Amino acid sequence: MAEPKDLPSWSRRELGWFCLVLAFLLLVFFSESLVFGKLLSPADLLQNSPVFRANDAPEPRHRLLTDAVYAFTPWRKIGFEALRRGRVPRLNMDNYCGAPFAQNFQAARFYPLRLIPAHVSPRGNAFFHASELFLAGLGIYILAVQLGIRSPS
């Protein structure tokens, strides 16, 4: 199997074009957040939760996306607050008497893209998700080149 440095020159040129097109498509897809600052979040779920219930709240548009609101966003905030204080977050003290936090794989504290402060602004959140999709697309392209797939058909 060829290493990425051994790819033919047409593949490097195509890789450059692929990266440009993919970045453009992601910019278009995430333009409301990256350009205009609109938050990508199913936070309308909070209007129907017992704590934040509003009397005339509309039905949430995405009832199945509760993890993003109830778990991932608070975990991201807890992790950044601990790192800001100069310590590695080992326990989540907001969960009962303290639940393992650094060992929780869903909190993804040691995932390199988690260094992007996604909870700070809507643009940071959109940049985090766009960078994940960019890396996924890039990986799929490199895999297709390695497998010899040249045409979408």
Side-chain angles (χ1 to χ4, degrees), residues 6-18 141 144-151:
D6 295 335
L7 294 176
S9 61
W10 61 264
S11 292
R12 291 183 186 165
R13 192 173 324 117
E14 282 185 4
L15 178 63
W17 278 108
F18 178 81
Y141 174 80
V145 168
Q146 295 290 325
L147 294 175
I149 300 170
R150 299 226 351 139
S151 173

Side-chain angles (χ1 to χ4, degrees), residues 78-153:
I78 289 168
F80 271 108
E81 291 299 321
L83 291 175
R84 187 174 291 137
R85 284 187 238 120
R87 62 182 183 83
V88 175
R90 291 179 291 153
L91 289 176
N92 177 1
M93 295 309 291
D94 295 330
N95 189 0
Y96 300 111
C97 292
F101 186 71
Q103 299 86 352
N104 182 354
F105 71 93
Q106 289 181 326
R109 285 309 330 145
F110 302 110
Y111 178 47
L113 289 180
R114 285 285 178 214
L115 296 175
I116 299 172
H119 74 284
V120 174
S121 71
R123 286 184 179 93
N125 188 24
F127 184 73
F128 169 74
H129 292 295
S131 61
E132 279 190 319
L133 290 175
F134 181 82
L135 288 176
L138 183 63
I140 289 171
Y141 174 80
I142 291 173
L143 176 66
V145 168
Q146 295 290 325
L147 294 175
I149 300 170
R150 299 226 351 139
S151 173
S153 57

Side-chain angles (χ1 to χ4, degrees), residues 65-87:
L65 298 177
T66 58
D67 288 350
V69 175
Y70 293 120
F72 300 138
T73 301
W75 286 340
R76 195 174 302 141
K77 185 169 174 47
I78 289 168
F80 271 108
E81 291 299 321
L83 291 175
R84 187 174 291 137
R85 284 187 238 120
R87 62 182 183 83

Side-chain angles (χ1 to χ4, degrees), residues 37-54:
K38 185 177 180 182
L39 180 63
L40 296 172
S41 173
D44 58 343
L45 289 166
L46 293 174
Q47 294 177 345
N48 289 334
S49 70
V51 177
F52 301 107
R53 185 174 308 269

